[in-house]
Amino acid sequence: MKYNLGDIVEFEDELFTIFWIYDSEYVELSSEDKKCVLAKAEDIRLVKAK
């Protein structure tokens, strides 16, 4: 799956926004409470494309 900056994704039962795309395998996510996490792209799923 191809992700874009700003996409809303689900990761470990929480919603995050894609903040930075490192490469095809890893993305940095940021939640509304400013929590950031680095995730493997295969571990997240797209909730809503803008």
Side-chain angles (χ1 to χ4, degrees):
M1 174 175 271
K2 188 145 173 103
Y3 295 101
N4 298 300
L5 292 178
D7 283 347
I8 297 172
V9 296
E10 185 175 331
F11 178 70
E12 295 183 347
D13 298 327
E14 290 187 63
L15 295 183
F16 291 87
T17 301
I18 293 180
F19 184 72
W20 185 258
I21 298 174
Y22 286 88
D23 53 36
S24 59
E25 281 193 56
Y26 290 95
V27 296
E28 183 176 340
L29 307 174
S30 178
S31 65
E32 284 186 6
D33 61 5
K34 303 302 182 205
K35 179 170 63 177
C36 291
V37 62
L38 186 66
K40 275 185 78 73
E42 65 186 28
D43 295 333
I44 63 179
R45 75 180 182 88
L46 193 62
V47 174
K48 180 183 72 176
K50 294 202 170 194

